[in-house]
Amino acid sequence: MDGQLKVRRKILIVEDEPINRKMLENIVKDNYDTIFAVDGVATIEMLREYSDEISLVLLDLMMPDMDGYEVLEFMKADKILKQIPVIVCTSEKDAEITCFKLGAVDFIAKPFSHPMVMRARIDRAIELREGRGLINATQNDSLTGLLSHDFFMEYSHFRDVHYKTSGMDAIVFNINRFHLINELQGRRAGDDVLIKIAESVKQIAKEKGGIAGRGGADEFLLYIPSGSDPEEMLKEIGSGLEYILNNSRVYLRMGIYKNVDMDITVEHRFDKARVACNSIRGNYNIQMAAYDDTMHKKEALDLRLVNDMEAGIKNRQFKIFYQPKYAIQGERDSLYSAEALVRWEHPELGLLRPDSFIPLFEDNGLIHKLDHYVWDEVSKQVGEWIVKYDIKIPVSVNVSRVDIGVPNLEEEIFTVVQNNWISPGMLNLEITESAYTENSDQIITVLKALRERGFAIEMDDFGTGYSSLNMITSIPLDILKLDMQFVKNIHEGNKDMKMVELMLDVARFLKVKVVAEGVETKEQYDLLKNAGCDVIQGFYFSMPCPPEEFEKLIEKENEELNAEVQEALNNG
Ligand code: C2E
Ligand code: CA
Ligand code: CA
């Protein structure tokens, strides 16, 4: 706490007489900033708004409406406000004892006569309090100046007690994958985003007559009277953030527990808001969710999955399924490659699909560990197949957008393939299109480096991520994977078919191959084949299957190859 005197402290001067106000200001203004209140009610408001900044209150006792005694009483009853030292300024000699009892630390008699002495007493009162009460230091979050978690809860509780209101909303804001901002744009940019959001949250609290706080790393809390428009709040908080991040988007999410149950603790109310907030984690189309009771179950499950993940990897519960991709423009359809898709054989919960744990692990950064495991397992498997079948079937793995932020990713994946004695050309990398639009500069650098190492890049889910044509021409890539939502609805000449044709044109222009995903029917297959699509993946050929079953597909491919060779030989 020492060495802090360079920071100018703030004194709240409570005085209804203009002359006295001016005198007090003159006495302290060289060393302190001043704010003023002219009656008790205004004082309480000031205290609530600036509680975190006020170092001392100079309090007049005689005021209209609520007098100084009542202010003292109010402050004494408040765990936070009672930390602020109060010096009472009055001409009433008898008031002294009462005031001390009510928590005043000193007494200055009116009319003011010895400015230097007064200054010394004010300095002293502040020094004493700061030396004694380190609590103040933790009251506010040092980065954003917002109330820190515990004090926020405390304050919200006091708001309830003092205002006896009902109809409050508990709101939690969070940033999707905030750690990415830190990793990709630097800590400084991350801090700037937090500070900017804090300002907006504070502003909203002020406008609505509520309380704002910082819940943790990238979590913000608002406790406000019900009835505010969530969309508007989101807009206000989101404004200006792109500017900080050079036009990269920040995806905010908001969980709201409306009209809170006053019979549960404040913490519990915010738990519910947090559950709502997390229910839309990783969903980029929805930014706001209101709490309902089914959400609690989901949250508990997520927590469990996060806790079990480490053991899952250690005990090899994550299984890799392989789904074949067939080249369809040749004489016959030939096995071209495969996509590795992870599943989790959870000992108690059964077989889990990736959708139930991948977005969750992406949000907390655990995904990288899992993906690394998958890359390694797949490389091992590919190496075994090369030896066993003397055939080269490259396998694509999914690279999460979160992995892109990992330093030296190209080195890491290269080491994986090297350690498994396969070439980078045997491990293709699928990256979803929306990752490109979120952070184009970074991703282009990383993908270039990966391609230089010999990896082929596939743009996954193409058509869903809104890349501009301009952007797509500058992205290093080898294969486009049409998203299955287009394939699902194609019919001769309909809108989706036209979209697919358009995307095939883009691919031809870029000179890259096209894989169509999610092909289930003969009709879809025929349409895509006629339109010139190179490769097809989907239930039409096979579901994703365990390695033993995929081996049968390799064997079949080998037989057909051999038959072809034989026929060629026979035909001389
Ligand atoms: P994705 O990369 O788009 O994978 C294709 C998904 O479509 C797979 O779902 C696959 O089983 C499914 N699919 C394949 N053919 C058809 C079809 O004909 N019809 C329909 N309706 N669906 C089909 P899955 O296996 O549930 O994986 C879901 C998503 O999870 C994947 O979408 C991918 O984004 C992610 N994922 C899977 N494995 C990994 C992994 O190891 N790492 C990472 N980061 N993500 C993974
Ligand atoms: Ca994929
Ligand atoms: Ca896909």
Side-chain angles (χ1 to χ4, degrees):
M1 291 296 282
D2 51 27
Q4 274 204 358
L5 285 165
K6 282 182 225 88
V7 181
R8 275 178 76 88
R9 286 164 168 69
K10 201 172 263 163
I11 293 181
L12 171 61
I13 296 176
V14 182
E15 173 62 68
D16 60 332
E17 297 269 348
I19 299 194
N20 286 339
R21 249 190 341 256
K22 197 74 209 158
M23 281 178 73
L24 287 172
E25 184 186 9
N26 285 341
I27 289 169
V28 299
K29 75 175 178 197
D30 287 348
N31 287 29
Y32 298 93
D33 289 337
T34 44
I35 49 177
F36 304 93
V38 294
D39 59 45
V41 176
T43 306
I44 301 298
E45 254 153 42
M46 285 290 211
L47 283 170
R48 287 190 41 244
E49 176 156 1
Y50 298 105
S51 66
D52 46 327
E53 294 167 37
I54 297 172
S55 294
L56 180 109
V57 180
L58 290 172
L59 180 68
D60 181 20
L61 276 186
M62 289 302 132
M63 291 180 297
D65 299 334
M66 186 182 190
D67 66 18
Y69 295 110
E70 284 173 89
V71 170
L72 280 171
E73 253 170 61
F74 181 89
M75 290 179 74
K76 195 181 174 194
D78 185 311
K79 272 193 194 143
I80 292 152
L81 296 184
K82 79 174 178 199
Q83 307 288 332
I84 304 174
V86 181
I87 296 182
V88 171
C89 312
T90 183
S91 45
E92 282 177 74
K93 223 32 218 121
D94 320 339
E96 215 160 310
I97 302 289
T98 323
C99 288
F100 281 135
K101 273 194 187 145
L102 285 173
V105 296
D106 202 352
F107 220 86
I108 293 176
K110 280 182 182 172
F112 307 124
S113 48
H114 302 288
M116 295 301 279
V117 176
M118 282 174 66
R119 261 279 303 284
R121 285 164 80 168
I122 289 166
D123 290 347
R124 174 100 186 107
I126 293 175
E127 275 165 25
L128 271 177
R129 180 51 50 99
E130 291 188 353
R132 206 187 300 153
L134 272 176
I135 300 164
N136 257 1
T138 54
Q139 179 174 327
N140 290 93
D141 163 52
S142 60
L143 179 70
T144 63
L146 286 177
L147 287 173
S148 52
H149 176 273
D150 292 358
F151 281 88
F152 172 85
M153 296 300 166
E154 200 72 60
Y155 257 88
S156 300
H157 174 69
F158 269 94
R159 193 189 186 289
D160 292 345
V161 171
H162 285 291
Y163 284 77
K164 300 210 170 36
T165 45
S166 56
M168 296 294 286
D169 291 348
I171 303 175
V172 167
F173 292 95
N174 207 310
I175 308 169
N176 278 330
R177 294 193 313 265
F178 175 68
H179 61 98
L180 265 192
I181 297 179
N182 277 333
E183 280 159 24
L184 301 181
Q185 309 242 3
R187 259 208 108 74
R188 182 67 190 278
D191 283 355
D192 286 348
V193 167
L194 296 176
I195 291 167
K196 177 75 185 49
I197 294 177
E199 275 170 14
S200 311
V201 172
K202 213 184 237 171
Q203 184 59 30
I204 293 176
K206 201 165 148 187
E207 280 163 18
K208 316 277 182 199
I211 298 169
R214 183 169 178 201
D218 57 343
E219 184 183 275
F220 296 87
L221 310 167
L222 255 185
Y223 191 53
I224 54 172
S226 298
S228 298
D229 179 3
E231 303 274 335
E232 236 162 60
M233 284 191 262
L234 269 171
K235 213 153 112 203
E236 180 164 351
I237 293 178
S239 71
L241 293 177
E242 269 94 353
Y243 177 72
I244 298 176
L245 295 177
N246 299 317
N247 295 325
S248 293
R249 278 200 68 173
V250 179
Y251 290 90
L252 286 173
R253 59 177 196 265
M254 169 181 183
I256 176 163
Y257 172 38
K258 286 185 185 158
N259 208 346
V260 299
D261 180 352
M262 286 290 176
D263 293 335
I264 59 176
T265 63
V266 179
E267 266 95 344
H268 197 168
R269 294 172 211 163
F270 279 89
D271 285 346
K272 287 176 189 277
R274 189 171 300 111
V275 165
C277 188
N278 287 342
S279 72
I280 46 170
R281 173 205 287 131
N283 185 332
Y284 295 86
N285 301 316
I286 304 175
Q287 280 196 287
M288 198 276 292
Y291 177 82
D292 69 64
D293 270 320
T294 57
M295 287 181 176
H296 228 67
K297 289 200 187 94
K298 170 87 176 89
E299 182 77 355
L301 177 67
D302 282 357
L303 191 66
R304 168 138 194 224
L305 295 182
V306 167
N307 286 335
D308 292 352
M309 187 259 190
E310 196 87 24
I313 290 204
K314 216 172 100 206
N315 302 326
R316 310 182 62 80
Q317 292 161 7
F318 290 96
K319 306 288 180 196
I320 291 144
F321 278 42
Y322 295 84
Q323 185 176 36
K325 305 180 187 181
Y326 281 87
I328 57 166
Q329 295 294 346
E331 294 265 303
R332 65 175 176 89
D333 298 337
S334 59
L335 183 58
Y336 175 77
S337 69
E339 176 174 8
L341 293 156
V342 71
R343 273 102 185 84
W344 186 355
E345 263 175 26
H346 192 283
E348 280 115 36
L349 301 170
L351 190 73
L352 302 176
R353 297 289 301 257
D355 291 340
S356 61
F357 55 88
I358 299 273
L360 174 68
F361 291 168
E362 282 189 325
D363 201 55
N364 53 31
L366 281 177
I367 189 68
H368 180 236
K369 189 160 187 191
L370 177 60
D371 277 348
H372 185 99
Y373 175 83
V374 172
W375 304 334
D376 193 48
E377 289 294 305
V378 170
S379 300
K380 202 169 290 153
Q381 182 66 75
V382 167
E384 279 174 24
W385 283 337
I386 292 175
V387 173
K388 188 167 170 188
Y389 295 107
D390 191 25
I391 187 174
K392 289 194 169 171
I393 308 284
V395 175
S396 314
V397 290
N398 288 285
V399 175
S400 160
R401 66 186 94 218
V402 175
D403 299 322
I404 300 293
V406 173
N408 295 325
L409 186 72
E410 72 279 1
E411 182 71 36
E412 177 186 333
I413 308 187
F414 187 71
T415 308
V416 169
V417 295
Q418 255 189 338
N419 289 346
N420 288 292
W421 305 98
I422 63 168
S423 73
M426 295 302 291
L427 192 76
N428 294 0
L429 309 175
E430 294 191 7
I431 295 133
T432 187
E433 186 190 13
S434 57
Y436 294 79
T437 32
E438 264 170 48
N439 199 294
S440 48
D441 291 350
Q442 157 97 13
I443 206 162
I444 287 173
T445 314
V446 174
L447 295 188
K448 266 198 187 128
L450 282 164
R451 267 178 113 211
E452 272 160 26
R453 297 277 187 159
F455 294 100
I457 307 296
E458 305 189 25
M459 187 190 261
D460 206 354
D461 313 316
F462 182 60
T464 62
Y466 313 105
S467 4
S468 61
L469 269 182
N470 179 31
M471 174 193 235
I472 203 158
T473 49
S474 56
I475 286 173
L477 80 132
D478 304 275
I479 295 173
L480 278 183
K481 292 191 77 177
L482 292 189
D483 190 70
M484 58 181 94
Q485 85 180 41
F486 297 102
V487 174
K488 199 162 76 188
N489 300 314
I490 50 172
H491 293 290
E492 189 79 60
N494 76 348
K495 199 168 123 259
D496 283 286
M497 189 62 217
K498 295 227 168 76
M499 279 299 286
V500 168
E501 282 162 0
L502 199 72
M503 291 191 270
L504 286 168
D505 279 343
V506 171
R508 268 188 287 269
F509 170 72
L510 296 172
K511 300 191 174 61
V512 298
K513 273 198 186 319
V514 173
V515 178
E517 267 192 290
V519 178
E520 297 182 353
T521 66
K522 177 83 165 72
E523 188 199 355
Q524 293 166 341
Y525 166 88
D526 286 337
L527 284 169
L528 288 161
K529 185 168 175 165
N530 292 338
C533 178
D534 307 287
V535 179
I536 271 178
Q537 174 184 353
F539 300 166
Y540 174 71
F541 281 112
S542 165
M543 305 261 263
C545 54
E548 314 80 73
E549 258 171 66
F550 189 77
E551 290 187 355
K552 292 189 190 132
L553 300 176
I554 302 180
E555 284 161 13
K556 187 162 157 269
E557 178 66 21
N558 262 348
E559 279 163 23
E560 285 177 15
L561 265 177
N562 288 337
E564 264 175 15
V565 171
Q566 200 55 50
E567 202 180 304
L569 286 175
N570 291 345
N571 293 342

